[in-house]
């Protein structure tokens, strides 16, 4: 493979998590590292933000490109930073500081980007697998096709990111004003999109991406063995996801994938979609129980 694929890490005020992510990447022979550290929201953030910047500045095991914000952009600014990277590179791998890559994560993403580059319907390669390994007991491929964009460790190409740009910025106009968002990506997608447009809670870029990709009937490929462990279920992030912990990280490969069996027919896997809907329903019920 002769593609140069940077690994991009988004950080803010969690230095201990950033150290864990960078330490894991140090063992994965990445092409180069791009780190974004967002600016502080208030004075209390300043020490931890400064520490994150210092951690990034001390990386000496690969070529680095560092972007340090003076003002806090929050989640809305993350999409702009993705655009910044993909204006420079034809593809990239993205991690937030609570997405811990397992061994083989970067190699898998790099190879998948090369293999599926010409597949027009494939928008992203994901690293996280929310469905347990038992579901894939008789499944012969290393990837499965789904309708839900998963941002817990993912990769895409410049041309795919550009293909959703205009739709991402105007999701309120899609699916009959978001009244008829299909549940193929989960029954929560419609409410999440409408809440995003109304400004209820953080304006998450991932919902905008998910809805735009859904509108264009893009698919997302996930590994059948999870190559990312989410380490953010401790209340330290913008979203309080502590009550989701029981339902996640149920399928994480500590050793990576021994062999990749490529999926050539990337049409949506209906059986997987059904199981994914059950997972989303359980997440919703778990959330409701803690309100």
């Amino acid at each position: 493979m002769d593609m140069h694929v940077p690994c991009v890490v988004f950080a803010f005020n969690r230095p201990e998590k950033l150290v864990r992510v960078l330490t894991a990447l140090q063992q994965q022979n990445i092409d180069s590292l791009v780190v974004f550290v967002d600016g502080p929201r208030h004075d209390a953030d300043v020490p931890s933000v400064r520490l994150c910047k210092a951690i990034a500045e001390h990386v000496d095991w690969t070529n680095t490109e560092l972007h340090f914000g003076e003002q806090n952009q929050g989640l809305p600014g993350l999409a702009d930073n993705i655009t910044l990277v993909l204006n420079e590179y034809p593809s990239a791998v993205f991690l937030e500081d609570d997405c811990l890559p397992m061994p083989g994560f970067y190699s898998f993403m790099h190879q998948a980007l090369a293999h599926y580059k010409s597949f027009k319907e494939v928008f992203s390669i994901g690293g996280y697998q929310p469905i347990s390994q038992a579901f894939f007991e008789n499944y012969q491929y290393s990837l499965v096709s789904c309708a839900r964009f998963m941002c817990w460790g993912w990769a895409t190409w410049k041309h795919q990111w550009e293909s959703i740009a205009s739709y991402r910025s105007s999701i309120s106009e899609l699916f009959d004003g978001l009244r008829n968002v299909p549940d193929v990506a989960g029954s929560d997608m419609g409410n999440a999109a409408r809440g995003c447009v109304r400004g209820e809670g953080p304006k998450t870029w991932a919902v905008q991406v998910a809805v735009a990709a859904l509108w264009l009937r893009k698919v997302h490929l996930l590994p059948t063995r999870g190559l990312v462990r989410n380490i953010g279920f401790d209340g330290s992030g913008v979203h309080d996801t502590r009550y989701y912990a029981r339902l996640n990280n149920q399928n994480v490969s500590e050793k990576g994938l021994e062999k990749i069996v490529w999926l050539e027919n990337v049409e949506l896997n209906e059986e997987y979609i059904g199981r994914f809907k059950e997972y989303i329903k359980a997440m919703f019920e778990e959330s409701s129980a803690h309100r």
Side-chain angles (χ1 to χ4, degrees):
M1 293 178 294
D2 56 2
M3 299 190 308
H4 181 98
V5 180
C7 190
V8 183
V9 176
F10 298 105
F12 172 39
N13 65 350
R14 298 186 286 187
E16 71 289 344
K17 287 182 169 51
L18 179 59
V19 167
R20 291 182 66 183
V21 170
L22 294 182
T23 299
L25 289 175
Q26 186 175 359
Q27 313 302 317
Q28 301 202 22
N29 194 30
I30 66 176
D31 289 347
S32 64
L33 177 70
V34 181
V35 181
F36 288 87
V37 180
D38 202 1
R41 297 166 297 186
H42 39 62
D43 290 346
D45 284 333
V46 171
S48 55
V49 169
R50 284 178 176 170
L51 187 51
C52 286
K53 292 178 180 179
I55 291 167
E57 288 174 330
H58 281 83
V59 170
D60 59 2
W61 40 267
T62 190
N63 293 326
T64 61
E65 179 182 325
L66 308 179
H67 299 266
F68 297 157
E70 295 299 325
Q71 304 295 324
N72 182 262
Q73 294 181 306
L75 291 177
L78 198 146
D80 293 334
N81 292 333
I82 294 171
T83 299
L84 181 67
V85 171
L86 292 174
N87 281 341
E88 183 176 353
Y89 300 97
S91 61
V93 176
F94 300 94
L95 287 163
E96 295 181 51
D97 62 1
D98 58 1
C99 297
L100 183 66
M102 297 293 103
F105 164 80
Y106 177 78
S107 176
F108 171 81
M109 303 299 268
H110 197 301
Q111 292 181 69
L113 284 169
H115 189 87
Y116 292 104
K117 180 180 179 180
S118 62
F119 285 61
K120 295 181 180 180
E121 60 270 64
V122 177
F123 174 78
S124 71
I125 310 296
Y128 186 82
Q129 178 52 258
I131 307 304
S132 68
Q133 178 59 27
F135 175 83
F136 299 102
E137 183 177 358
N138 298 313
Y139 186 79
Q140 61 180 310
Y141 302 104
S142 301
L143 303 96
V144 64
S145 179
C146 73
R148 177 97 166 201
F149 170 64
M150 297 289 289
C151 64
W152 293 352
W154 64 288
T156 195
W157 305 263
K158 174 185 174 70
H159 67 278
Q160 289 290 358
W161 184 252
E162 290 179 341
S163 74
I164 71 163
S166 61
Y167 302 96
R168 180 171 57 83
S169 61
S170 58
I171 63 168
S172 62
E173 301 173 9
L174 309 180
F175 298 113
D176 298 320
L178 298 177
R179 291 186 297 273
N180 297 306
V181 178
D183 68 352
V184 67
S187 60
D188 63 325
M189 187 58 65
N191 284 334
R194 290 186 289 271
C196 180
V197 170
R198 290 193 298 262
E200 298 173 357
K203 186 178 180 181
T204 172
W205 65 276
V207 171
Q208 296 172 329
V209 171
V211 174
L214 190 59
W215 174 257
L216 293 174
R217 298 185 179 181
K218 300 287 186 179
V219 299
H220 313 279
L221 300 180
L222 306 180
T224 54
R225 293 301 308 271
L227 296 173
V228 169
R229 178 182 297 280
N230 190 304
I231 55 174
F233 297 115
D234 55 4
S236 64
V238 174
H239 302 286
D240 188 355
T241 56
R242 285 172 289 184
Y243 41 78
Y244 292 153
R246 182 180 65 83
L247 298 171
N248 285 284
N249 294 326
Q250 301 299 310
N251 183 355
V252 180
S253 174
E254 302 290 345
K255 298 181 180 179
L257 303 179
E258 294 183 2
K259 178 183 178 182
I260 300 176
V261 181
W262 298 112
L263 176 69
E264 301 300 339
N265 180 1
V266 297
E267 293 181 4
L268 292 178
N269 185 310
E270 296 296 334
E271 187 177 358
Y272 182 83
I273 287 173
R275 180 64 185 86
F276 193 92
K277 288 181 180 180
E278 294 175 2
Y279 161 77
I280 294 297
K281 180 181 179 182
M283 293 270 282
F284 181 78
E285 292 172 348
E286 191 82 359
S287 175
S288 299
H290 287 80
R291 289 177 182 172

